[in-house]
Every structure is written in structure tokens, then in C-alpha cells.
Amino acid sequence: MDAQVSFLDQLFNQGILHDSGVDGLYARSAAFEDVISRFEEFALSFGQDEISEAMVFPPGMPLTDFETSGYMKNFPQLAGTVHAFCGSDHDHMGLIQCMAAGEDWSESQKKTDVALTPAACYPLYPILARRGRLPEAGAYVALQSYCFRNEPSKEPTRMQMFRQREYVRVGTEEQTIEFRETWKQRGQEMMRILELPHEVEVANDPFFGRVGRMMGASQREQELKFELVIPVNSGANPTACMSFNYHMDNFGKAWNIQQADGSPAHTACVGFGLERLALALFRHHGFDVNAWPNSVRSALWG
Ligand code: ATP
Ligand code: ZN
Ligand code: MG
């Protein structure tokens, strides 16, 4: 690839993504979406015998559940909440005048019942909690959601709105740890089949502020998070395309998800960054999917 032109500009030039004028907010071409759906099928084939159910979420979740998640405590810099106009005729006139004058018109915007989903598994936990105690086998859910993170970037791999496909395991400590180890292996197996260079490494989430740095260090020390990284952007560090997370019983306690014996459930999830994996495939196999290696094509298109 031409090193003079950034990967993002190449994606625009090739018509794979379309610029919107806002970093991290792109329209996807049919070719890009086809790769994502093929990858999702491929990923689903690895866990289909184990899952207890599948769900797809809208890009927003209940604000109260978002509050319960602790996201504003840990990652306030990334969060997005939905606000809407709730004023009177008089307020509306003020709004229109402010807009016309190019002034701040957000004063009459009030919070709604909706937050943008920051991580695909968050909307699942309150749904499970409402069902009462888990069965002995726990829960094993395949899900997908659009996510929002306020992190505009020129790197195409860091979008503001993107999709995660996840498998989530909820149950005992043993069930969730075994799940996480299995998927660490399976994730690498998937990447071998798709002929993408990769490594798995211990990682931490970008907890906010000074206290956050300590939380990140402790997360690493306890090896709660691993990432599968692939070189995608030129010259930069390799990009996390999958993550393998063990939350202990933190979410079980926060949302009151109970194991069969009534104790707080443990949770673990494996997240596939769908846009990042598609970008990794374009990066390593070229912009023309018809010219991808036969083995990769047959894994994805059958
Ligand atoms: P990074 O360290 O690169 O910011 P992350 O640790 O925030 O990644 P997770 O929170 O574990 O990532 O999210 C699960 C998966 O979602 C990631 O492995 C990645 O593939 C994808 N992902 C995360 N943030 C973005 C983003 N801004 N744009 C596109 N995909 C993303
Ligand atoms: Zn998750
Ligand atoms: Mg991040």
C-alpha cells in the first residue's frame, strides 16, 4: 500500500468508507458491510453449540442501567447520553434564536431515559437480573450492538460509533474463567484461519484520572483483560481487535444477577470489534475482496 496516503484516505478513495466530516463517524459501503456480516457468521459458527440464546441491541440503553454500570465513575470521558428538547413555546423561540445566531442552544436540552451504549454487553445484565436466579448452567449469550465512545480520531480503527459482537458468559467463577480461556484460544484460531498476524497480550481499560491509573494497573496485575492485537494502522501500535474480559462478580453485584444458589453471578465476555476486524482484513488482504486468498474467502463466504 502507498505509505504516503493514510490508510483512512485509502479507504475513502476506494469507496470502502465514506467521510462525514466528523472523525470516527463514517458511512459504510456494501463491500464493507458484507465483510462484517460474513465475519459475524464465521464468529457465530465457533460458539453456536454452546450458546443459550442470542440478542441484538439498539445503540441506546436505559439511562438508569447505564448509571448502575458505573461507567460515569470509570470512563466519563468516553460516555455519551441522549438529550432532547423538553421546553415550552417560549423556550423553543429561544432555541431557534440561539441557533440562528450561532450561539449555544443546548440549554433547553434535557436528559432523556436513554444513554448511548458504551459496550455491547451492558444492556444484557439488567435483562438477566430481572429474570431471577440463573439456572445451574448459567447463561451463555451471543449478542451484537452498536456502541458509542467519545474518542474522535484520524485512525480509522478508532471510531465513535462502531459495532461489537460478543459472547457473554454469566454463572459461577469456574464457568466464566473457563469460558474466557477457551475464547482466548478460539480467537487466535479464528485469526489463523483468516491469515491475520496477531498477538494476545494483557491489557487494561482507560480508567479516568489519577485513581483510574491505579485501577488500570490493578486490572493488569490481576490479568482481568486480554486483547488480541493486529497491526492495522501504518506505523502505529497494533490495534486491539478482540478483547477477553473477566469482570469477577462486579456486574453480578451491581445489577443483582444471582447464581442458582443466590450468590452474585460472575461474568466474562469476549468482544469482537467488527469494524476493526473488517479493516484488518482489508489491510492485510487488499481492498478487492475477490482477490483475497482462497482459503480466507472460503472461510468467510463458504
Ligand atoms: P482500545 O484499547 O484500542 O481503546 P478497548 O480496550 O477500548 O480498545 P474494549 O473496550 O475491550 O476495547 O472493546 C472491545 C472491542 O471493541 C475492542 O477489542 C475493539 O475491537 C472494539 N473497539 C473498541 N473501541 C473501538 C473504537 N473506538 N472503534 C472501533 N472499535 C472499537
Ligand atoms: Zn462485554
Ligand atoms: Mg478504548
Side-chain angles (χ1 to χ4, degrees):
M1 281 181 200
D2 186 347
Q4 301 305 305
V5 183
S6 75
F7 185 41
L8 181 60
D9 283 329
Q10 293 179 45
L11 292 160
F12 292 158
N13 295 341
Q14 297 285 333
I16 291 183
L17 296 178
H18 304 282
D19 196 0
S20 73
V22 172
D23 290 339
L25 201 60
Y26 310 118
R28 283 86 166 137
S29 64
F32 189 83
E33 284 303 294
D34 187 37
V35 170
I36 291 209
S37 358
R38 302 321 305 178
F39 177 83
E40 288 196 278
E41 287 273 303
F42 176 70
L44 278 166
S45 72
F46 283 76
Q48 64 196 359
D49 300 335
E50 285 147 30
I51 62 169
S52 51
E53 63 187 300
M55 293 182 200
V56 173
F57 298 119
M61 65 181 286
L63 185 67
T64 50
D65 292 329
F66 172 79
E67 288 167 3
T68 305
S69 75
Y71 203 80
M72 291 307 281
K73 184 167 149 259
N74 295 328
F75 314 107
Q77 76 281 20
L78 298 174
T81 47
V82 177
H83 289 66
F85 174 74
C86 304
S88 61
D89 274 344
H90 179 76
D91 299 327
H92 184 218
M93 245 146 63
L95 168 84
I96 299 294
Q97 277 164 6
C98 284
M99 274 191 152
E103 288 165 7
D104 179 16
W105 53 271
S106 61
E107 204 175 304
S108 53
Q109 298 287 106
K110 296 280 174 287
K111 64 184 204 243
T112 65
D113 292 338
V114 180
L116 297 176
T117 304
C121 58
Y122 281 24
L124 172 68
Y125 302 119
I127 293 176
L128 293 181
R130 273 199 293 275
R131 291 181 182 169
R133 289 187 181 188
L134 290 163
E136 294 284 349
Y140 197 138
V141 183
L143 55 83
Q144 197 246 59
S145 182
Y146 249 100
C147 299
F148 171 84
R149 292 183 191 174
N150 175 33
E151 48 183 0
S153 167
K154 294 281 182 206
E155 284 183 357
T157 49
R158 189 168 301 285
M159 298 186 178
Q160 297 201 62
M161 291 192 163
F162 57 94
R163 278 158 292 180
Q164 293 178 347
R165 177 155 276 291
E166 287 200 7
Y167 284 106
V168 183
R169 189 77 172 102
V170 185
T172 65
E173 182 176 354
E174 296 71 42
Q175 285 166 341
T176 47
I177 288 177
E178 192 202 331
F179 163 91
R180 211 257 309 248
E181 292 315 304
T182 303
W183 276 102
K184 255 160 64 185
Q185 299 310 319
R186 276 188 196 160
Q188 295 173 77
E189 171 66 13
M190 289 165 69
M191 295 301 94
R192 278 193 290 274
I193 296 172
L194 298 182
E195 297 177 27
L196 293 172
H198 60 276
E199 264 173 71
V200 171
E201 47 193 47
V202 70
N204 65 273
D205 288 310
F207 296 99
F208 184 75
R210 199 159 40 85
V211 177
R213 276 197 290 283
M214 277 147 57
M215 291 172 74
S218 139
Q219 188 185 28
R220 265 177 191 273
E221 209 169 288
Q222 296 179 76
E223 303 200 336
L224 297 178
K225 183 182 182 84
F226 289 86
E227 287 177 342
L228 183 147
V229 301
I230 303 177
V232 184
N233 298 301
S234 27
N237 290 332
T239 301
C241 294
M242 295 184 192
S243 72
F244 312 91
N245 308 287
Y246 173 48
H247 317 116
M248 304 189 282
D249 57 2
N250 291 336
F251 288 153
K253 281 180 177 152
W255 275 295
N256 190 26
I257 314 171
Q258 294 177 21
Q259 297 187 37
D261 68 3
S263 60
H266 290 243
T267 63
C269 70
V270 45
F272 306 105
L274 293 177
E275 283 77 7
R276 286 188 180 180
L277 283 155
L279 291 170
L281 285 161
F282 283 111
R283 178 80 202 188
H284 288 278
H285 301 318
F287 292 122
D288 176 8
V289 295
N290 296 308
W292 288 6
N294 279 331
S295 46
V296 173
R297 283 193 58 81
S298 76
L300 291 174
W301 280 273

